[in-house]
Amino acid sequence: MKNIFLDSSKPRNIFLLNGLWEVISTSNDKLPENYESQIPVPSLIDSANPPTEWQNNKFHFYRLKIQIDNLNSDLNYFLKIYQSMYGTKLWINRQFVGENISCYTSQTYDTSKYLNANENEIVIRIGQRSDLPPESAVGKDLEREIYIPGIWGDIELYSVNKGEIKFVKIFPKCTENKIEFNFGIENYKFQNEEYILNAEILEKKTKKIISVNEFKIYFKSSKENLTFTNSIAFKDFIYWSPENPFLYELKLKLFSKNEILDETTKTFGMREFKIEGDNFYLNGNKILLRGGNIAFHRFLSDEDRKLLPWNLEWVKDLLITIPKEHNFNFIRFHIGLPYHRWYDLADEYGILLQDEWQFWGVTGEKNQIKKEFTEWINDNCNHPSIIIWDPINESSDKILQEEIVPEMKKIDSTRPWESVDFIEEHPYIYSLGMVLNNRKFGFVRGLDEVTKDSRPKMFNEFLWWWLDKNNKPTLLMNEVIERWLGKNYSQNELIEHQSFLAKELIGLFRIMKINAIQPFVYLSNNSGATGNWFLNNIKDLETKPVLRAIKEAFEPFSVCIDLWDRHFFVDEEREIRFFIFNDSSKIRRGELIVGVKSSDNKWISRKEISVEVLPMSDIVLVEELVFPSSIGENFAVAELFEENQTIAISKKVIHTFEVIKKQSRAKKIILLNPSEEMKQYFESIEISTTDYSGENLSSSDIIIVNGNIFSNKIYTSNMKIITEFVQNGGTIIINEPEYGVVGTTTKTIVDGVDLNITHRSDSDKGGYDSYVFAEDQSHPIWKNIHREHLKIFNGAYGGEIVSQYDVDFSVQSKRLASCGNNLNVVAVSEVEYGKGKIILSRIQIRERLIAFQSSYKTLFARRPDPVAQQYVLNLIHYS
């Protein structure tokens, strides 16, 4: 029994009913007589002790008995449930009070006529998600299987006098030096009565009164519910921001004559967030959003979750302390709202929020969605921490975005809506997808197109490299790992690659001037599709190395080397761009050291440069680096210092190679419709070649077929000669035969051997490849080419090596190299045919053998690559 003392001298009494309730799960919808377990409120049904059979029962009944001392029958009493799922019904003293199918927003019940001065039994029944009616806006999550019911928000009982302030929505108008507040008042008693609303603005911490105002309100009849909008001038206020989360309170008192009827206080912050052109602005200043994602409702399925979401000390560390320590100022609540007190912490300590409804594809009917979206705004619009409303994830819905959201913008015009005012994008590149994309891929446009967008740009999901609390790959990593690490990898490589990708991609996106950057995912279900960034039991909040990498990548005063090539000639000179960022609100000055370091971290060459960067901007320096005189692995390095302290380091691997010397061969090489580039390269190293025009091949030992030439008349009309050439011991090297193919085709190479070529759509995974892995590194075609050398060639978008096609022989072949998800794409293979062989090589050497006029003009122009040159020679020598 919970005893409540009602103080009649107060205009409003609020009694928090959190704590232990009785609970039972049953398949019977009849009110239970006995209860078997206890459960803390708020929590989920799986927190009951002893556990209930909640998964096998449709209904879950909660009961609390209360005694209200000094009950006054002249007052009005309401029960408010802040968050309850799935589907709620309320009984008091075994009388049905009401029901509500909202699952994420508050619901209030008038209990005035059901309570008595003796013992009161409150029973709340919730159900299973699967039993919600079809109009429900409960939403869906394609990466979540378990939906655990529960009363997961606070419960309070409150009393008011003859009138009530039903709601208060505060909208700061900072540039107009005022606040606008929308409020509703219900009159329970009087007719033809004038009310007075007293409004005070106070500093929340000091309770210092800033302003006092009065408004007159007239009611014609009792039981009248009216809505009003007023404003209060508010000068010399202190802005709310992540750096200074200064809060105010609006205290409203409702009077009739000299009698106070109701009183309520709402917290708010004076802050203004808006879009101007292609930037976000907070309080009139450009702001760059850096942070992560919290998938609260996925986390509710985590086996280590327990009562942590309602432990506010733990939540403060998770939501505030750790993010701020890692240079976060922004969190997206992904696919679902959190426990409502999380917003209070964000307000108090200063974290910006993007609040996303649980729609990954819309569910429900228009009117119910409007109702629940309205409740969502009414519940949360006073939180200064919420800067963006987000109605839907990775999908679109015409009614939602073109009809419902515009109506919501009339309720709250102070915040932008994602997918209506700007769009978020999810570049799962360099992981699920290719290194870089210049076309639509999944939920991101081509990167060049993104940079041209006239609206703010948000990348709030990327980094498809998910490990669980034991640093083991999650389910969604099954196809991806081998694509980047090969077949044999260690756990340390898994961990290090996650950090590498985080820094590489964040650096790229900062160069692209992306306004909001949020890798995925800071918190989710450890055993789910994506894991999170914490080790072992989540209660300890032991951070993974990836968080430290993200912290470094998000450093406000930072540097990034804009370099994608990895292969260089000894003593080569190359102009490189260095980006220096300043995401802070003040000028930053420092010393930049750029140069080349050896693998043991010693400078081989270096240059010192003084830098100054204006607030919220960046500068670009173009410096010439001279690469080492000896072959091996080294690093291009940029180190940024401020007041003699190392602030940031950017590091890119470089492999240096000797220039290939002149070669000699006894037999002829026949080129069939090759590019002039191949012929010119062979000439430069004194290898003689002959263009094939149909002559006898007896004095030759290699034919190199370049590109898709199998319909060429010279080839088809001499098929018999070519077949005999291979049967007698000759070799055909088929180089990038898919180049220029549209769709699917099958081409005959020699009698009985076809080549099947198919372009893959790969609209949301896969794409081209930039990493290739040898099946046997000791094979002759990999002479002087190490494992690391087959990752990203010079030039092409993202160092593309193998195109987005499936190509293979129609007969059994030997795989020499692979790439792609699960390494299921053929990069190099060979077929024995008679005494000779046919080699299929899809590794792109095109425009990487010799220098062209455009080779060094743009970042992704193809240019000479010593590995590509070595590879071509290896193919010839092997043949």
Side-chain angles (χ1 to χ4, degrees):
M1 175 82 71
K2 190 179 185 77
N3 281 80
I4 292 171
F5 177 77
L6 190 144
D7 186 349
S8 298
S9 66
K10 290 183 177 180
R12 180 183 287 222
N13 285 265
I14 300 176
F15 309 106
L16 192 62
L17 301 185
N18 289 5
L20 285 178
W21 288 52
E22 296 175 282
V23 70
I24 188 170
S25 295
T26 175
S27 57
N28 190 337
D29 196 18
K30 189 177 179 181
L31 283 176
E33 297 294 334
N34 300 304
Y35 289 76
E36 299 173 349
S37 303
Q38 289 188 317
I39 190 168
V41 170
S43 70
L44 296 183
I45 191 65
D46 63 349
S47 299
N49 184 30
T52 69
E53 293 291 326
W54 67 268
Q55 289 158 309
N56 300 321
N57 288 284
K58 293 181 66 171
F59 306 112
H60 317 287
F61 289 87
Y62 289 64
R63 181 172 72 176
L64 180 69
K65 293 181 179 179
I66 63 172
Q67 171 74 46
I68 305 176
D69 297 333
N70 201 24
L71 182 76
N72 186 340
S73 59
D74 289 335
L75 300 182
N76 296 278
Y77 299 89
F78 298 89
L79 186 80
K80 183 173 183 178
I81 304 171
Y82 279 81
Q83 290 161 313
S84 175
M85 56 192 181
Y86 296 96
T88 304
K89 286 189 176 182
L90 172 67
W91 291 263
I92 292 184
N93 296 324
R94 305 189 79 80
Q95 296 180 76
F96 180 67
V97 179
E99 62 184 312
N100 197 312
I101 61 170
S102 298
C103 296
Y104 314 120
T105 54
S106 66
Q107 38 194 282
T108 302
Y109 301 87
D110 186 346
T111 59
S112 304
K113 65 182 181 181
Y114 303 103
L115 295 170
N116 59 54
N118 301 311
E119 179 181 284
N120 293 276
E121 180 192 60
I122 302 173
V123 174
I124 301 172
R125 194 214 76 185
I126 57 174
Q128 298 284 12
R129 180 181 181 276
S130 55
D131 292 322
L132 285 167
E135 65 267 24
S136 166
V138 67
K140 57 185 175 182
D141 182 347
L142 305 180
E143 292 178 5
R144 184 176 170 209
E145 295 179 357
I146 301 175
Y147 293 84
I148 308 171
I151 300 174
W152 59 287
D154 295 352
I155 301 178
E156 65 183 30
L157 179 71
Y158 68 91
S159 67
V160 296
N161 204 330
K162 301 176 184 70
E164 180 189 359
I165 303 166
K166 299 294 289 185
F167 65 85
V168 183
K169 292 179 284 186
I170 305 165
F171 301 108
K173 304 288 184 178
C174 298
T175 54
E176 301 173 45
N177 292 308
K178 68 178 184 179
I179 64 166
E180 188 175 276
F181 63 106
N182 177 254
F183 58 98
I185 292 180
E186 186 159 357
N187 170 26
Y188 296 123
K189 184 88 174 181
F190 302 110
Q191 287 183 298
N192 299 319
E193 185 75 20
E194 185 178 79
Y195 284 6
I196 299 295
L197 184 74
N198 177 272
E200 292 181 346
I201 296 176
L202 306 89
E203 292 183 357
K204 183 176 176 65
K205 282 190 177 179
T206 67
K207 304 305 177 186
K208 176 184 175 182
I209 297 174
I210 304 298
S211 175
V212 179
N213 300 265
E214 268 192 4
F215 305 92
K216 292 182 180 180
I217 301 164
Y218 186 77
F219 282 93
K220 291 182 178 179
S221 62
S222 63
K223 292 297 180 182
E224 190 174 4
N225 194 338
L226 298 179
T227 299
F228 305 89
T229 298
N230 280 317
S231 62
I232 299 174
F234 193 7
K235 296 181 179 180
D236 301 323
F237 57 82
I238 298 173
Y239 278 111
W240 182 98
S241 69
E243 297 76 27
N244 183 27
F246 196 91
L247 294 172
Y248 293 95
E249 291 178 334
L250 177 63
K251 180 180 285 189
L252 299 179
K253 294 179 182 179
L254 185 66
F255 292 90
S256 173
K257 297 179 181 176
N258 294 321
E259 182 181 12
I260 184 167
L261 305 180
D262 192 16
E263 177 182 81
T264 188
T265 301
K266 300 296 180 184
T267 299
F268 70 98
M270 291 299 289
R271 72 105 186 91
E272 185 175 58
F273 183 82
K274 61 182 179 179
I275 293 171
E276 288 186 5
D278 61 353
N279 286 303
F280 294 120
Y281 283 82
L282 180 68
N283 303 331
N285 298 310
K286 178 181 169 183
I287 185 168
L288 298 168
L289 304 176
R290 306 291 187 244
N293 296 262
I294 290 178
F296 178 87
H297 286 266
R298 291 181 187 172
F299 176 61
L300 293 181
S301 301
D302 193 296
E303 63 179 2
D304 296 328
R305 180 211 79 222
K306 309 303 184 209
L307 297 177
L308 293 174
W310 303 278
N311 178 339
L312 294 185
E313 288 186 10
W314 180 87
V315 175
K316 179 177 176 289
D317 285 341
L318 172 85
L319 183 63
I320 309 296
T321 306
I322 294 173
K324 282 180 172 281
E325 287 174 349
H326 290 80
N327 291 317
F328 287 22
N329 63 2
F330 186 45
I331 293 287
R332 170 195 183 208
F333 288 136
H334 174 55
I335 308 194
L337 319 183
Y339 171 47
H340 60 96
R341 291 193 182 273
W342 287 40
Y343 299 110
D344 298 333
L345 289 171
D347 292 344
E348 184 177 356
Y349 295 101
I351 283 287
L352 301 169
L353 301 174
Q354 177 178 346
D355 213 26
E356 183 176 85
W357 192 260
Q358 197 164 127
F359 275 166
W360 192 355
V362 170
T363 66
E365 296 178 358
K366 178 180 176 180
N367 288 339
Q368 182 65 24
I369 296 171
K370 284 172 57 179
K371 173 183 176 292
E372 294 193 34
F373 271 37
T374 302
E375 293 167 351
W376 175 23
I377 294 175
N378 289 348
D379 282 348
N380 296 317
C381 68
N382 293 336
H383 293 289
S385 55
I386 299 175
I387 56 172
I388 295 168
W389 301 119
D390 189 343
I392 195 168
N393 172 66
E394 285 193 355
S395 47
S396 61
D397 183 88
K398 189 171 184 178
I399 291 175
L400 178 74
Q401 291 163 298
E402 296 182 12
E403 297 183 34
I404 295 175
V405 167
E407 289 191 42
M408 297 302 108
K409 288 169 74 71
K410 294 175 184 176
I411 301 173
D412 177 9
S413 62
T414 68
R415 294 174 173 90
W417 284 75
E418 188 282 317
S419 79
V420 174
D421 297 309
F422 69 99
I423 59 172
E424 66 188 22
E425 303 191 67
H426 299 168
Y428 282 117
I429 55 175
Y430 215 158
S431 48
L432 177 67
M434 63 289 278
V435 170
L436 299 175
N437 69 299
N438 215 15
R439 57 167 175 77
K440 184 169 171 40
F441 176 77
F443 293 93
V444 64
R445 294 167 292 168
L447 298 185
D448 283 354
E449 183 183 350
V450 171
T451 60
K452 296 172 185 175
D453 199 323
S454 59
R455 299 164 295 180
K457 295 165 275 290
M458 172 180 279
F459 285 175
N460 61 7
E461 286 190 36
F462 61 93
L463 191 60
W464 190 297
W465 199 267
W466 295 310
L467 308 175
D468 67 14
K469 65 182 180 182
N470 300 311
N471 275 323
K472 293 182 179 178
T474 66
L475 181 65
L476 288 181
M477 290 300 297
N478 285 347
E479 292 185 337
V480 176
I481 295 174
E482 289 184 352
R483 182 182 195 182
W484 306 102
L485 298 185
K487 292 179 180 178
N488 301 308
Y489 56 86
S490 67
Q491 189 176 57
N492 279 341
E493 286 179 294
L494 275 175
I495 297 167
E496 290 168 1
H497 195 74
Q498 188 180 46
S499 296
F500 163 78
L501 281 181
K503 294 188 75 171
E504 198 82 351
L505 290 172
I506 291 172
L508 168 66
F509 299 153
R510 291 182 78 173
I511 287 172
M512 290 174 59
K513 301 185 187 301
I514 302 301
N515 307 81
I517 302 175
Q518 299 157 272
F520 201 84
V521 57
Y522 177 67
L523 179 74
S524 187
N525 177 12
N526 167 68
S527 58
T530 58
N532 55 51
W533 295 338
F534 297 94
L535 292 166
N536 303 314
N537 193 312
I538 191 68
K539 70 179 177 64
D540 298 317
L541 293 175
E542 181 184 351
T543 59
K544 291 179 178 176
V546 66
L547 255 178
R548 294 191 285 277
I550 291 169
K551 175 184 179 179
E552 293 173 11
F554 277 158
E555 184 64 43
F557 190 32
S558 190
V559 61
C560 186
I561 305 173
D562 195 18
L563 178 66
W564 292 88
D565 290 358
R566 297 189 183 193
H567 306 148
F568 304 88
F569 297 100
V570 294
D571 297 320
E572 182 178 348
E573 299 175 0
R574 179 79 66 88
E575 285 189 341
I576 308 293
R577 294 197 305 174
F578 298 85
F579 282 76
I580 300 93
F581 308 105
N582 179 10
D583 290 1
S584 64
S585 57
K586 62 180 182 180
I587 294 176
R588 303 293 288 268
R589 298 178 178 88
E591 294 295 320
L592 182 69
I593 303 178
V594 301
V596 178
K597 276 189 171 184
S598 62
S599 55
D600 59 358
N601 207 36
K602 294 179 180 178
W603 287 106
I604 297 172
S605 63
R606 54 179 278 169
K607 181 187 296 185
E608 294 186 18
I609 307 159
S610 294
V611 294
E612 178 181 286
V613 191
L614 296 175
M616 291 295 158
S617 64
D618 59 64
I619 61 173
V620 186
L621 301 178
V622 180
E623 298 293 333
E624 188 176 81
L625 292 190
V626 179
F627 293 104
S629 300
S630 58
I631 64 171
E633 180 181 272
N634 298 287
F635 296 91
V637 178
E639 296 183 357
L640 183 61
F641 294 83
E642 187 178 42
E643 297 179 352
N644 297 319
Q645 299 255 335
T646 304
I647 299 296
I649 298 174
S650 180
K651 192 175 181 180
K652 301 275 188 169
V653 67
I654 56 175
H655 300 277
T656 49
F657 302 84
E658 293 280 4
V659 175
I660 292 175
K661 298 176 181 178
K662 296 177 180 179
Q663 308 284 311
S664 60
R665 285 188 60 79
K667 290 192 176 181
K668 286 194 305 183
I669 296 175
I670 302 296
L671 301 181
L672 186 55
N673 196 27
S675 64
E676 286 297 310
E677 175 194 12
M678 189 176 288
K679 180 185 288 187
Q680 290 175 29
Y681 176 65
F682 285 146
E683 288 176 355
S684 72
I685 55 174
E686 296 187 357
I687 291 180
S688 60
T689 62
T690 302
D691 290 341
Y692 184 60
S693 56
E695 70 271 19
N696 190 291
L697 297 171
S698 59
S699 61
S700 305
D701 58 353
I702 302 173
I703 301 176
I704 300 178
V705 178
N706 199 48
N708 177 29
I709 55 85
F710 300 107
S711 299
N712 183 294
K713 286 185 178 180
I714 295 177
Y715 194 95
T716 55
S717 62
N718 290 281
M719 181 71 68
K720 184 176 180 182
I721 295 174
I722 294 171
T723 298
E724 290 175 352
F725 163 74
V726 180
Q727 285 176 330
N728 293 329
T731 298
I732 299 180
I733 299 173
I734 304 168
N735 179 60
E736 205 179 347
E738 68 272 27
Y739 186 56
V741 170
V742 177
T744 298
T745 188
T746 297
K747 299 295 183 181
T748 300
I749 309 302
V750 294
D751 288 346
V753 179
D754 294 337
L755 201 61
N756 301 316
I757 304 172
T758 302
H759 182 264
R760 298 191 310 272
S761 60
D762 277 354
S763 57
D764 61 356
K765 66 177 182 178
Y768 66 76
D769 280 284
S770 302
Y771 282 29
V772 166
F773 292 90
E775 298 291 324
D776 177 5
Q777 200 70 50
S778 65
H779 191 283
I781 67 168
W782 310 121
K783 181 182 178 183
N784 297 327
I785 298 175
H786 301 157
R787 188 173 184 265
E788 288 298 308
H789 300 161
L790 292 173
K791 299 177 181 179
I792 300 186
F793 278 7
N794 291 350
Y797 208 72
E800 178 182 351
I801 296 180
V802 174
S803 58
Q804 191 175 307
Y805 287 77
D806 290 317
V807 184
D808 206 355
F809 292 108
S810 62
V811 297
Q812 186 174 358
S813 61
K814 180 181 179 181
R815 184 89 64 97
L816 301 182
S818 303
C819 58
N821 288 341
N822 279 334
L823 292 183
N824 59 5
V825 175
V826 174
V828 186
S829 64
E830 67 176 343
V831 167
E832 293 185 358
Y833 187 85
K835 296 179 181 179
K837 53 179 172 276
I838 307 167
I839 299 174
L840 166 64
S841 174
R842 303 187 54 213
I843 293 179
Q844 294 179 10
I845 57 174
R846 175 171 27 99
E847 297 178 50
R848 287 170 167 146
L849 298 179
I850 63 173
F852 292 88
Q853 191 173 4
S854 61
S855 291
Y856 298 95
K857 286 188 175 180
T858 63
L859 186 63
F860 298 114
R862 291 177 182 248
R863 44 191 154 260
D865 187 310
V867 178
Q869 294 176 351
Q870 180 67 58
Y871 173 68
V872 169
L873 289 181
N874 289 350
L875 282 175
I876 292 173
H877 291 310
Y878 173 60
S879 302

